[in-house]
């Protein structure tokens, strides 16, 4: 079932709460089963017994049903007491019903009339017509009809068809759940996608294929059948698909990989067939499958002990539809996943997904563009520096940047501000990275001094190392699980040298080194630093070949390569790896202690400043130690890019002024 996405209109139809529906239906069923047609007690008897009681004047009213040939009589109090007497086992006293009746089968209506006339009773007689028989029959059938409707409703809800109108319900469970976006039904365009320049070029070419296919097919080429968007979460894969839907101006089918999965056997494959059948009718068109790893995992793993694997059946059908015996001319399949490594090889081959477009985390320039997009609806003041925000958020995805902008707006609103300032964005970054502030956490003066010395050690050593990340601020305000933190601007390097890794390790170990040198003891506060340093040291030795005794060798895990090896080295080599990693850590730890002893006075001044202010910035560290002698890599890149832009602008200005000069010269002549 292809559900077409309706646009326009803000009203939502009223939907009654399901719990109330269930409660009402169950109440009606319970009442019908408990109700016996009256509010008293009835007893069947023979015609002779009935006629004898009628002669004794035991009835107050008699009702005769002509169709069923029955007579129902209501007893007076004396007859009811003698015929219906009940004793409660709990109360031990008599209980009287309000209304008691007896019922009999009469021979004929005429014989009842003769017996009534000769009995001398004063009871009134009422005759029911034959139509009452149908009323009684209807009353008996109604509960079963309600039960049937109840179960139909349950099946419709379980299959996603309740309230869906025609086409919903368990009988249409094999229909596709894709939403259809018709031409120009979405407002997202490529202008709304900031950054991702290389990915946008690839995606825009697919849109051009659909808009003008003759341009590419006249030379004998074929339009690609599919493109797979791969990248970390939050990088904009789904946003790119939305932009394609807004730019292509062709029918766009959107669904998730989990929409194919169902508890019933064969439903997934049937939905795939229905999806492509509908897409062929509307070709040229685009099918977008989000999170395709839900059905596209490699086959042969976890085969459920030989049982039926519905996911593999769905994948087989998807492979056949994308590139099987039949052709799907005019259908382009887009898919997105952040787990391309687990997808089946047959799904990734050329002819199905001809292109794999990697949507990577944005760099500093892309982050600036993303910030500019999310800052449009915000009220910011002049203190907000977009370049600084882009540099302060390395490794952040587009979704993370949107979250920071929203957090900054909430922080400013909480403080009663009219505009969002630079400090609000800095606090938003700190909150996203480190967590909430915990100023009321119980700490003694000795602990505060130890924390301040630890963070000052990081700041001091990183200031005097060339390849250490530039310092932004240092704080001893607890955030999340951290008691203090030193914030840096990580260098976004494509390759990292041995000296850069060693400088970063030295700066990371400086907190523990400061405690040992100036306090004469160490604490558990450096656990995270030690974990990061140990991982880096082992990576240098085992993976990067940056060791004197084990150079140019990569001891990676071969388990996934089919060789069946989990440790491609001997025990002696393992001991060498341990020794080399420990030696690297020891050397950098000693270097950190030497730098701290060399700059002991500045370290003490910085520690006291931290205890007084709790938060210090780059300017404060520069005031104590002087200007840092090295320019960061990011600053160099920004300066080079600005110089290139200025040269380009100057060249354009010269080109624009040259024709004017020639014209003026000609006119003067």
């Amino acid at each position: 079932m292809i559900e077409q996405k309706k646009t326009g209109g803000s009203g939502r139809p009223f939907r009654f709460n399901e719990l109330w529906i269930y409660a009402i239906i169950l109440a009606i069923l319970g009442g019908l089963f408990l109700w016996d047609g009256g509010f008293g007690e009835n007893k069947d008897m023979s015609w002779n017994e009935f006629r004898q009681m009628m002669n004794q004047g035991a009835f107050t009213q008699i009702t005769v049903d002509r169709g069923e040939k029955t007579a129902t009589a209501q007893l007076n109090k004396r007859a009811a007491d003698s015929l219906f007497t009940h004793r409660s086992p709990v109360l031990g006293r008599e209980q009287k019903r309000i209304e008691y009746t007896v019922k009999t089968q009469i021979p004929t209506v005429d014989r009842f009339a003769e017996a009534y006339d000769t009995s001398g009773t004063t009871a009134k007689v009422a005759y029911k017509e034959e139509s009452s028989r149908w009323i009684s029959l209807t009353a008996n059938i109604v509960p079963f009809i309600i039960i049937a409707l109840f179960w139909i409703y349950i099946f419709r809800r379980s299959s996603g068809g309740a309230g869906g109108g025609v086409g919903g319900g368990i009988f249409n469970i094999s229909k596709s759940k894709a939403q259809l976006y018709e031409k120009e039904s979405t407002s997202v365009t490529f202008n709304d996608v900031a950054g991702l320049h290389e990915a946008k070029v690839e995606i825009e070419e697919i849109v051009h294929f659909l808009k003008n296919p003759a341009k590419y097919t006249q030379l004998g080429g074929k339009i690609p059948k599919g493109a797979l968007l791969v990248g970390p979460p939050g990088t904009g894969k789904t946003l790119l698909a939305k932009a394609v839907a807004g730019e292509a101006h062709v029918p766009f089918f959107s669904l998730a990989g989990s929409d194919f999965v169902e508890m019933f056997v064969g439903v997934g494959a049937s939905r795939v067939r229905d999806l492509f059948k509908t897409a062929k009718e509307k070709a040229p068109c685009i099918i977008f499958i989000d999170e395709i790893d839900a059905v596209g995992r490699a086959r042969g793993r976890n085969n459920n002990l030989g049982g039926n694997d519905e996911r593999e059946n769905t994948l087989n059908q998807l492979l056949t539809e994308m590139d099987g015996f039949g052709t799907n001319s005019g259908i382009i399949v887009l898919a997105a996943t952040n787990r391309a490594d687990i997808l089946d090889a047959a799904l990734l081959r050329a002819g199905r997904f001809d292109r794999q477009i990697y949507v990577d985390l944005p760099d500093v320039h892309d982050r600036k563009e993303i910030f500019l997009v999310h800052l449009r609806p915000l009220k910011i003041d002049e203190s907000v520096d977009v370049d600084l925000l882009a540099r302060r958020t390395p490794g952040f995805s587009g979704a993370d940047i949107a979250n920071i902008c929203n957090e900054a707006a909430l922080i400013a609103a909480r403080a009663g501000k009219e505009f969002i300032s630079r400090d609000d964005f800095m606090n938003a970054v700190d909150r996203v990275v480190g967590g909430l502030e915990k100023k009321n956490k119980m700490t003694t003066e000795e602990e505060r001094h130890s924390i301040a010395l630890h963070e000052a050690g990081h700041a001091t050593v990183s200031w005097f190392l060339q390849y250490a990340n530039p310092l932004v601020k240092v704080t001893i305000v607890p955030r999340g699980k951290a008691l203090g933190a030193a914030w840096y601007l990580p260098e976004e390097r494509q390759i990292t040298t041995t000296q850069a890794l060693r400088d970063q390790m030295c700066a990371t170990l400086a907190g523990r080194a400061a405690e040992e040198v100036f306090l004469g003891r160490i604490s558990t506060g450096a656990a995270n630093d030690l974990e990061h340093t140990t991982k880096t040291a082992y990576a240098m030795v085992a993976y990067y070949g940056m060791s004197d005794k084990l150079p140019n060798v990569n001891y990676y895990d071969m388990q996934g390569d089919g060789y069946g090896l989990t440790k491609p080295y001997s025990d002696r080599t393992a001991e060498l790896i341990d020794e080399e990693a420990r030696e690297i850590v020891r050397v950098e730890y000693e270097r950190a202690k030497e730098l701290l002893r060399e700059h002991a006075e500045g370290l003490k001044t910085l520690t006291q400043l931290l205890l007084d202010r709790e938060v210090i910035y780059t300017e404060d560290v520069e005031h104590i130690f002087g200007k840092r002698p090295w320019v960061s890599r990011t600053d160099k890149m920004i300066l080079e890019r600005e110089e290139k832009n200025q040269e380009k602008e100057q060249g354009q200005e010269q080109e624009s002024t040259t024709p004017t000069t020639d014209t003026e010269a000609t006119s003067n002549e």
Side-chain angles (χ1 to χ4, degrees):
M1 177 182 59
I2 304 298
E3 299 178 0
Q4 184 168 349
K5 188 71 176 180
K6 297 181 179 179
T7 58
S10 59
R12 295 180 60 188
F14 176 76
R15 298 185 65 183
F16 203 70
N17 195 312
E18 293 181 19
L19 294 178
W20 283 105
I21 295 176
Y22 295 152
I24 292 173
I25 293 176
L26 292 175
I28 294 174
L29 290 174
L32 289 172
F33 280 115
L34 293 177
W35 183 50
D36 59 357
F39 297 96
E41 188 168 334
N42 183 62
K43 186 175 182 180
D44 293 332
M45 59 176 53
S46 65
W47 164 245
N48 292 330
E49 292 175 340
F50 185 88
R51 188 173 57 180
Q52 183 178 359
M53 291 188 68
M54 184 171 56
N55 294 336
Q56 295 174 357
F59 303 148
T60 59
Q61 186 174 356
I62 303 174
T63 303
V64 179
D65 192 328
R66 296 179 182 273
E68 295 184 356
K69 295 182 180 180
T70 59
T72 304
Q74 184 176 346
L75 300 175
N76 56 30
K77 187 176 183 304
R78 179 178 57 82
D81 290 343
S82 61
L83 190 59
F84 295 96
T85 301
H86 305 278
R87 187 172 300 277
S88 173
V90 178
L91 300 177
R93 60 186 178 87
E94 293 185 353
Q95 289 183 333
K96 302 296 182 182
R97 299 282 183 172
I98 298 175
E99 183 177 299
Y100 299 95
T101 57
V102 293
K103 186 177 181 181
T104 186
Q105 194 76 25
I106 61 176
T108 61
V109 178
D110 294 337
R111 290 191 59 181
F112 169 79
E114 293 177 1
Y116 175 77
D117 293 338
T118 58
S119 65
T121 181
T122 59
K124 298 180 180 179
V125 178
Y127 291 93
K128 285 185 178 180
E129 299 299 329
E130 195 166 346
S131 59
S132 63
R133 182 179 181 182
W134 297 105
I135 297 175
S136 177
L137 182 62
T138 303
N140 292 329
I141 295 177
V142 164
F144 298 99
I145 296 176
I146 294 178
I147 292 174
L149 294 176
F150 175 75
W151 283 110
I152 291 175
Y153 178 78
I154 293 296
F155 278 123
R156 287 173 61 86
R157 294 300 302 174
S158 64
S159 61
V166 178
I170 193 171
F171 301 106
N172 289 312
I173 195 173
S174 61
K175 299 297 182 180
S176 172
K177 292 184 177 181
Q179 291 183 337
L180 172 60
Y181 296 84
E182 290 290 356
K183 300 178 181 179
E184 301 180 358
S185 61
T186 57
S187 58
V188 180
T189 63
F190 288 123
N191 295 329
D192 300 318
V193 183
L196 307 178
H197 300 289
E198 294 79 8
K200 285 168 63 175
V201 171
E202 296 282 347
I203 290 293
E204 287 176 351
E205 191 173 12
I206 293 177
V207 175
H208 295 160
F209 287 153
L210 294 171
K211 287 184 176 180
N212 188 13
K215 177 181 178 181
Y216 303 92
T217 57
Q218 65 180 356
L219 300 177
K222 297 181 180 179
I223 297 177
K225 293 185 178 180
L228 181 65
L229 302 174
V230 183
T235 51
K237 299 184 292 296
T238 306
L239 183 62
L240 277 174
K242 290 181 180 179
V244 172
E247 294 276 0
H249 303 308
V250 296
F252 189 91
F253 296 89
S254 175
L255 75 164
S258 58
D259 288 338
F260 295 113
V261 181
E262 195 65 59
M263 62 179 292
F264 302 106
V265 176
V267 170
S270 178
R271 287 178 177 176
V272 172
R273 287 191 295 269
D274 181 71
L275 171 64
F276 280 87
K277 177 183 176 182
T278 309
K280 290 177 184 178
E281 297 173 356
K282 293 184 174 292
C285 64
I286 299 175
I287 297 175
F288 174 63
I289 305 175
D290 200 4
E291 304 296 344
I292 195 174
D293 52 272
V295 293
R297 295 192 181 190
R299 293 166 291 181
R301 301 177 183 175
N302 301 327
N303 58 356
N304 296 328
L305 301 178
N308 178 75
D309 193 338
E310 179 65 14
R311 182 185 54 78
E312 287 195 2
N313 295 339
T314 305
L315 175 59
N316 292 334
Q317 187 63 42
L318 181 62
L319 296 174
T320 304
E321 293 291 343
M322 291 186 66
D323 188 23
F325 193 79
T327 58
N328 295 321
S329 178
I331 299 177
I332 295 180
V333 181
L334 289 180
T337 181
N338 48 35
R339 305 180 66 188
D341 55 315
I342 66 173
L343 294 181
D344 193 89
L347 191 64
L348 299 176
R349 74 163 175 82
R352 292 194 175 100
F353 286 114
D354 302 282
R355 298 183 176 185
Q356 294 187 28
I357 304 172
Y358 189 72
V359 185
D360 199 359
L361 290 170
D363 59 14
V364 61
H365 304 298
D366 291 340
R367 290 197 301 273
K368 181 179 179 180
E369 295 181 8
I370 296 172
F371 266 111
L372 292 175
V373 170
H374 292 293
L375 289 177
R376 291 174 189 169
L378 302 181
K379 297 180 179 180
I380 59 177
D381 59 16
E382 298 178 353
S383 64
V384 177
D385 187 357
V386 182
D387 291 324
L388 178 62
L389 291 177
R391 295 179 59 190
R392 278 291 310 274
T393 52
F396 280 48
S397 64
D400 295 330
I401 293 175
N403 186 29
I404 287 175
C405 294
N406 185 60
E407 286 289 343
L410 297 179
I411 292 173
R414 195 178 300 118
K417 298 181 180 180
E418 295 182 357
F419 296 94
I420 308 172
S421 64
R422 172 181 177 272
D423 293 337
D424 297 325
F425 281 97
M426 295 297 102
N427 293 331
V429 174
D430 295 345
R431 177 169 182 174
V432 171
V433 175
L436 291 172
E437 284 190 8
K438 296 183 179 179
K439 292 185 177 182
N440 58 348
K441 180 170 285 190
M442 299 296 294
T443 54
T444 62
E445 288 299 324
E446 183 181 1
E447 290 174 342
R448 289 184 75 250
H449 183 266
S450 177
I451 296 170
L453 184 65
H454 183 104
E455 301 303 334
H458 287 306
T460 301
V461 173
S462 64
W463 192 263
F464 293 100
L465 294 178
Q466 180 178 359
Y467 296 103
N469 295 323
L471 182 70
V472 175
K473 76 173 184 178
V474 186
T475 177
I476 60 173
V477 177
R479 280 185 178 273
K481 296 182 180 181
L483 299 176
W487 304 94
Y488 301 94
L489 289 178
E491 301 286 354
E492 298 182 56
R493 299 183 176 92
Q494 301 300 322
I495 57 175
T496 306
T497 62
T498 305
Q499 190 57 43
L501 290 174
R502 285 182 172 270
D503 284 356
Q504 293 174 12
M505 290 176 61
C506 183
T508 305
L509 291 169
R512 166 64 68 87
E515 294 181 22
E516 181 179 347
V517 172
F518 295 98
L519 296 180
R521 54 176 171 76
I522 57 177
S523 66
T524 60
N528 190 31
D529 299 335
L530 298 179
E531 178 185 357
H532 175 73
T533 303
T534 304
K535 289 181 178 179
T536 304
Y538 271 95
M540 291 175 63
V541 177
Y543 298 148
Y544 302 141
M546 297 178 177
S547 171
D548 295 335
K549 295 182 180 180
L550 297 171
N552 305 324
V553 181
N554 187 320
Y555 296 109
Y556 61 93
D557 185 4
M558 295 183 178
Q559 186 175 8
D561 294 343
Y563 296 102
L565 300 176
T566 58
K567 192 179 72 169
Y569 48 83
S570 64
D571 293 338
R572 174 57 183 161
T573 304
E575 293 177 0
L576 284 176
I577 293 174
D578 294 337
E579 292 175 2
E580 287 293 282
R582 282 196 298 268
E583 180 64 18
I584 291 175
V585 174
R586 187 194 64 79
V587 170
E588 298 308 319
Y589 187 68
E590 293 298 328
R591 185 157 71 113
K593 290 196 292 186
E594 291 177 4
L595 285 172
L596 291 172
R597 292 190 185 100
E598 182 180 350
H599 303 281
E601 293 299 326
L603 175 68
K604 293 178 181 179
T605 305
L606 188 61
T607 303
Q608 188 59 43
L609 190 63
L610 264 176
L611 291 172
D612 296 337
R613 296 186 184 178
E614 292 189 340
V615 180
I616 60 175
Y617 296 92
T618 307
E619 297 79 9
D620 302 313
V621 181
E622 185 175 337
H623 180 73
I624 296 173
F625 295 112
K627 191 173 182 62
R628 196 163 183 258
W630 301 283
V631 180
S632 66
R633 178 177 179 273
T634 305
D635 291 336
K636 290 181 180 179
M637 293 176 60
I638 293 176
L639 291 174
E640 292 175 357
R641 187 168 184 174
E642 290 179 353
E643 291 176 357
K644 290 181 179 179
N645 291 335
Q646 290 178 358
E647 293 176 357
K648 187 176 181 179
E649 290 176 358
Q650 291 176 358
Q652 292 177 352
E653 290 178 358
Q654 292 177 357
E655 291 178 359
S656 61
T657 55
T658 301
T660 305
T661 305
D662 295 342
T663 304
E664 290 177 353
T666 304
S667 61
N668 290 333
E669 290 176 358

